[in-house]
Amino acid sequence: EKGGYDSYMQKEIFEQPQALSNTLLGRLHDDQGNVELDTQLDPNSFDRIHIVACGTAYYAGMVGKYLLEQLARVPVELDVASEYRYRQPVVTDRTLAIAVSQSGETIDTLEGMREAKAGGAQTLGVINAKGSSMTRELDHTLYVHAGPEIGVASTKAYTSMVSAFLLLALWLGQERGTLSKEEVARLVHEARALPRLVAEALSDERVAQVREVAQKYHQARDYLFLGRGVNNPTAYEGALKLKEISYIHAEAYAAGEMKHGPIALIDDHLPVVVVATESRLLEKTISNVQEVRARGGRVILILSDGDTENVQNGEDVIYVPRCDEMISPIVNAIPMQLLAYFTADTLGKDVDKPRNLAKSVTVE
Ligand code: M6R
């Protein structure tokens, strides 16, 4: 049932090209240059969005916030569900509340949606599990179609959830007219390449490269992850993955926040993973990298293919396929998953049964 893989997690990592095809392909029309969503949701029926989720789903929602605001220009608030449900959020009948959940059963997320609904919001679920509680209770469901995910550490559900937000943001941009026809067509074309780009990010050679880095630093006590903009959540997701299965303490920060505190942690033992792929903010990220290096930090750079200029800034470099910034969080998630996987594997941990964790959290 693990199809020749050592663990469900490993199997699910390598299933991502297929999972992403299932999420995207029927909905993105390259010939017409548009997006079609199988939903009754009226794209003009709300003027603000609340995103509510836990754990990895929350980080998918964090990418969603960036995409929805940039592409569809709708203001988005993002909350972890255990906070949202008790903070008496200000909701109106012009609010769209979005739950993000692999299982569709996480109790805090479900209760958050009940809270939003009670205030008059419409509700939408970005959900993987078919027929789950949320799909039955929420007004609308956007299935992510990643297929069953068994590994406790979420991998393919994450990249599929982020892709579902890309679809939603493009669709809203198209329907609400915040994106030109040409811009929609261009991004549809870029997004259709995702299964291929992710397959490329999982090529033997690239996987071996990440394994080497994981083995080199597997004895680290702490790790720091940095990213900016749409890849700030990639850093958070990378840190969460590493904590969950390798039990190494890991923290993530927005790269620009470093000098406001966490820079004090840096010494010559600390591996610092920096997402520094092609972006309009790359130069700023690189100047943060130089701050880390100047203090002896051991920088592991995630760079876009062909970036030879910035190699010198990393002790180690992991290359990923070059792509548009708006779709890069999906490609960049791959080395994060592999780094966590190989670190845990090197330490002899059972990645499918991380201590103290359950696949679905149905108690508060
Ligand atoms: O089923 P959900 O997506 O609602 O689950 C949310 C979190 O419990 C989940 O993402 C958790 O953080 C994973 N173990 C992450 O790998």
Side-chain angles (χ1 to χ4, degrees):
E1 58 197 14
K2 291 181 199 155
Y5 290 100
D6 295 339
S7 61
Y8 285 110
M9 183 185 178
Q10 192 189 30
K11 172 170 177 268
E12 288 158 4
I13 287 174
F14 285 92
E15 274 172 2
Q16 287 175 110
Q18 186 58 50
L20 291 170
S21 296
N22 296 342
T23 310
L24 294 168
L25 295 194
R27 292 154 162 175
L28 294 173
H29 302 293
D30 213 2
D31 41 349
Q32 293 140 49
N34 69 355
V35 185
E36 221 173 10
L37 281 194
D38 35 346
T39 179
Q40 300 297 310
L41 175 69
D42 173 354
N44 293 302
S45 59
F46 51 88
D47 43 39
R48 62 194 53 246
I49 292 176
H50 289 180
I51 298 177
V52 179
C54 306
T56 283
Y58 173 79
Y59 297 134
M62 201 187 253
V63 182
K65 175 181 159 75
Y66 277 97
L67 295 176
L68 288 163
E69 291 193 334
Q70 296 215 5
L71 303 176
R73 309 303 298 159
V74 193
V76 178
E77 279 183 58
L78 170 76
D79 279 83
V80 288
S82 55
E83 287 299 312
Y84 186 82
R85 64 180 287 198
Y86 294 119
R87 79 163 166 88
Q88 297 178 290
V90 180
V91 173
T92 72
D93 60 1
R94 297 282 299 169
T95 304
L96 175 68
I98 304 181
V100 196
S101 179
Q102 188 289 126
S103 63
E105 302 295 345
T106 303
I107 194 68
D108 280 329
T109 307
L110 186 55
E111 288 293 345
M113 287 297 104
R114 289 177 178 152
E115 179 70 27
K117 211 166 189 169
Q122 277 187 89
T123 54
L124 165 70
V126 174
I127 310 288
N128 190 38
K130 301 273 149 66
S132 52
S133 301
M134 286 181 212
T135 66
R136 282 179 273 120
E137 203 169 311
L138 306 187
D139 299 326
H140 309 279
T141 298
L142 178 60
Y143 274 118
V144 310
H145 295 306
E149 190 183 65
I150 294 162
V152 173
S154 182
T155 53
K156 65 174 182 171
Y158 176 72
T159 46
S160 285
M161 291 188 290
V162 174
S163 304
F165 273 111
L166 179 65
L167 284 169
L168 185 64
L170 281 173
W171 181 71
L172 288 176
Q174 166 188 288
E175 300 298 315
R176 292 165 69 114
T178 52
L179 292 175
S180 66
K181 257 181 108 54
E182 295 69 37
E183 191 60 2
V184 175
R186 188 184 72 78
L187 286 166
V188 164
H189 184 73
E190 295 279 335
R192 279 196 63 104
L194 272 164
R196 182 174 54 73
L197 293 167
V198 166
E200 173 58 33
L202 287 166
S203 69
D204 292 350
E205 196 186 326
R206 293 185 198 255
V207 170
Q209 193 180 26
V210 184
R211 189 198 293 123
E212 230 170 82
V213 172
Q215 287 170 345
K216 175 171 170 187
Y217 295 102
H218 77 280
Q219 280 169 326
R221 277 188 43 206
D222 311 276
Y223 250 92
L224 186 61
F225 288 77
L226 302 174
R228 260 181 197 267
V230 78
N231 279 297
N232 180 20
T234 309
Y236 280 93
E237 173 59 6
L240 177 64
K241 223 76 307 167
L242 189 69
K243 283 183 255 207
E244 280 191 293
I245 58 170
S246 76
Y247 319 140
I248 294 176
H249 166 243
E251 273 199 73
Y253 270 93
E257 233 343 71
M258 254 227 325
K259 56 169 79 67
H260 301 285
I263 200 162
L265 292 170
I266 291 168
D267 63 17
D268 52 11
H269 298 295
L270 186 72
V272 184
V273 179
V274 187
V275 187
T277 49
E278 186 51 39
S279 141
R280 59 194 171 87
L281 297 172
L282 179 55
E283 234 175 89
K284 300 210 179 283
T285 304
I286 293 295
S287 72
N288 300 129
V289 167
Q290 280 152 355
E291 292 157 10
V292 175
R293 293 216 83 189
R295 286 155 187 86
R298 317 204 42 193
V299 175
I300 302 163
L301 272 185
I302 314 287
L303 292 180
S304 297
D305 279 351
D307 183 343
T308 47
E309 201 180 312
N310 291 309
V311 186
Q312 66 201 40
N313 292 309
E315 177 172 336
D316 297 278
V317 171
I318 295 169
Y319 278 109
V320 288
R322 185 172 283 269
C323 61
D324 187 276
E325 186 173 2
M326 292 295 117
I327 69 167
S328 67
I330 298 155
V331 178
N332 294 346
I334 306 301
M336 300 290 151
Q337 298 167 351
L338 292 171
L339 182 66
Y341 177 81
F342 286 121
T343 303
D345 194 53
T346 307
L347 291 167
K349 309 294 181 205
D350 182 344
V351 297
D352 283 341
K353 291 197 194 67
R355 69 187 183 204
N356 311 337
L357 293 174
K359 181 63 183 163
S360 140
V361 184
T362 52
V363 290
E364 200 175 334

